Amino acid sequence: MSPHPGLGSPAATEQSQSRLSRRRERRKSEIVNAAIALLATNGYQGMSLDDVAERADIAKPTLYHYFASKDELVSAALEALTTGVLTCLTSVLDATSTASHHERLRALMTEQLRLLTDQFPEVGTIFSWQTSWPAMHDEARKSMRRRHDAVFRDVVSAGVNAGELDCENIDAALQCLHGTINHASIWLSHMRDPHQAERSKTDLLNALMRVFTSSAA
């Protein structure tokens, strides 16, 4: 008969380390989420590690066990938001892999509107064209915006090449798309009547699709 795993056994040690690792990742996620919320409301200059620690309900020295500096935490927050959004958009593309380019673009628009309204409302604020961010983070935000833009651009370009979409200037059309959805997410989030919000969302998506389906005269 094999010995029962004791507290000092390799199995018990591995299990304990696994729990510690999960606990550490949860705490790290809580800190990043606190930073995201503060960046959205206060901006880079207005976010302090004291405020992050208070919002995450931890002591400031504990915070330094996870992030050595404010800039390290901000970098993690920006990457977490970008990864979250891109993961959702990629899932939409995977789910619509056999659909038309027209349908895939509308599905992306719908998901982007949902993300900004419900799941990641901070994105519109944090990734807007503000000038008060340090150069290192401003360059990172530009890179992340390009990664996000590429998801839509690839679908639009493929649709234009296939003759399914009609768009004379993809850059201008995408600016219209992102700018409209960013502002519309705020507009829709303040609607108290869910039926009105749903009708308005449908009308908005129909209007945006027309940007990609007819050339200017």
Side-chain angles (χ1 to χ4, degrees):
M1 180 181 295
S2 59
H4 188 281
L7 291 177
S9 70
T13 300
E14 183 177 347
Q15 187 177 24
S16 176
Q17 290 175 341
S18 178
R19 283 197 301 269
L20 287 173
S21 177
R22 290 195 300 270
R23 187 180 307 155
R24 178 179 175 80
E25 287 305 309
R26 282 196 301 270
R27 179 54 59 86
K28 189 174 182 178
S29 179
E30 290 167 358
I31 294 170
V32 168
N33 288 336
I36 289 171
L38 289 168
L39 285 170
T41 55
N42 301 338
Y44 175 86
Q45 301 297 339
M47 189 202 91
S48 71
L49 292 183
D50 287 319
D51 291 337
V52 172
E54 181 177 354
R55 189 179 185 94
D57 195 25
I58 60 173
K60 188 175 179 181
T62 301
L63 191 155
Y64 282 111
H65 286 298
Y66 297 88
F67 299 98
S69 67
K70 173 179 175 176
D71 286 326
E72 183 179 320
L73 174 55
V74 169
S75 294
L78 294 176
E79 185 60 38
L81 267 182
T82 302
T83 300
V85 170
L86 292 180
T87 297
C88 292
L89 293 177
T90 300
S91 295
V92 167
L93 290 180
D94 291 342
T96 58
S97 59
T98 60
S100 68
H101 300 298
H102 186 282
E103 291 169 327
R104 299 186 90 197
L105 177 59
R106 188 180 181 100
L108 282 177
M109 290 181 180
T110 302
E111 179 66 0
Q112 179 71 8
L113 193 56
R114 184 192 72 80
L115 291 172
L116 290 182
T117 305
D118 301 324
Q119 191 167 350
F120 299 109
E122 304 90 352
V123 168
T125 302
I126 292 177
F127 286 94
S128 63
W129 293 97
Q130 304 169 33
T131 59
S132 58
W133 289 68
M136 64 174 289
H137 296 307
D138 203 37
E139 285 303 314
R141 290 192 308 149
K142 290 176 183 177
S143 173
M144 292 168 184
R145 278 195 294 263
R146 287 192 292 268
R147 287 161 59 190
H148 174 266
D149 178 81
V151 175
F152 288 83
R153 185 177 297 272
D154 288 349
V155 173
V156 173
S157 297
V160 170
N161 291 335
E164 292 182 23
L165 301 175
D166 184 7
C167 178
E168 288 189 348
N169 188 322
I170 293 177
D171 289 334
L174 288 175
Q175 285 296 320
C176 290
L177 185 158
H178 296 311
T180 299
I181 288 182
N182 283 347
H183 288 287
S185 62
I186 301 172
W187 172 54
L188 291 172
S189 66
H190 285 86
M191 289 187 181
R192 297 184 180 277
D193 183 346
H195 298 294
Q196 179 190 4
E198 193 61 31
R199 287 193 301 270
S200 297
K201 182 174 72 173
T202 298
D203 291 341
L204 174 71
L205 292 171
N206 289 340
L208 280 173
M209 284 306 303
R210 284 194 286 273
V211 175
F212 298 90
T213 54
S214 61
S215 299

